[in-house]
Amino acid sequence: MHDERTRERRLSSCQTASCGMRHGLTISRYNDYIGDMFSGIQAEIKQSKPFSSLEEEAFLALMRTADQLAWRGAEMLKQHGLSPTQYNALRILRGAGAKGLACSEIGERMINRDPDITRLVDRLERRGLVRRSREQKDRRVITTCITPAGLEALKALDGPIEEFHRHLLGHLGEKRLQALIRLLEAARE
């Protein structure tokens, strides 16, 4: 009963027609939104006021989820002596094969933007995980390749990473994961 009165008060105070116009909500969409409002992200971040729109709520839920998954991933990689950006760069270089890549190409392929790929590569080179060389045709171009030690480091992580991903997201099942991938792709368009 309390929930129903709260919904009615919110609907009347929002002046249903103008609320729908401002936020793109239909009455049905608004009712669904209000009904689910006090669960999920709103409860997690202890926000007492309703979100201004479904888009805001979706954005914050996505940011919160990405942060939690990234933190768990960073903690897992820390046990193996790598940061997420180092791991990502090594994976990119493994995919590039023996020809390697220039720093700018590594930067373009990174999952998370890193403004200083050169320093990232410096750290990996000091650890013996990558090597750099100048192109013979154009001495200005420096190519970075993964070393056998870098390949071994990734090979040792392949199984644990696969299990980690399964542990974090496997409970969603194949159909929901495919739907999630499609939705995330659409959001990036």
Side-chain angles (χ1 to χ4, degrees), residues 56-162:
E56 178 189 22
E57 183 176 10
F59 180 80
L60 293 174
L62 183 60
M63 295 298 292
R64 175 84 169 190
T65 304
D67 178 65
Q68 288 182 1
L69 294 175
W71 180 80
R72 290 175 186 167
E75 289 298 307
M76 189 274 223
L77 288 169
K78 190 189 298 183
Q79 296 170 10
H80 298 275
L82 290 173
S83 71
T85 53
Q86 290 171 335
Y87 174 72
N88 190 14
L90 288 173
R91 287 188 65 229
I92 290 166
L93 290 169
R94 176 172 63 180
K99 65 180 182 164
L101 294 170
C103 278
S104 60
E105 292 174 295
I106 296 169
E108 290 169 4
R109 297 178 186 198
M110 294 290 285
I111 298 295
N112 295 321
R113 295 182 190 271
D114 188 326
D116 199 350
I117 297 297
T118 303
R119 270 207 299 228
L120 171 66
V121 171
D122 286 344
R123 289 190 298 272
L124 293 171
E125 188 174 36
R126 279 194 299 273
R127 293 180 59 188
L129 301 174
V130 302
R131 67 174 163 71
R132 287 187 267 205
S133 59
R134 289 199 181 273
E135 288 283 326
Q136 294 301 320
K137 293 178 183 173
D138 185 350
R139 303 282 299 152
R140 295 172 296 172
V141 177
I142 298 173
T143 303
T144 304
C145 297
I146 193 165
T147 64
L151 289 171
E152 282 300 315
L154 285 181
K155 186 176 180 182
L157 275 168
D158 286 342
I161 290 287
E162 188 176 327

Side-chain angles (χ1 to χ4, degrees), residues 5 8 26 45 59 114 119 121 132 175 181:
R5 274 188 269 137
E8 287 176 34
T26 63
I45 64 173
F59 180 80
D114 188 326
R119 270 207 299 228
V121 171
R132 287 187 267 205
K175 285 185 180 185
I181 291 166

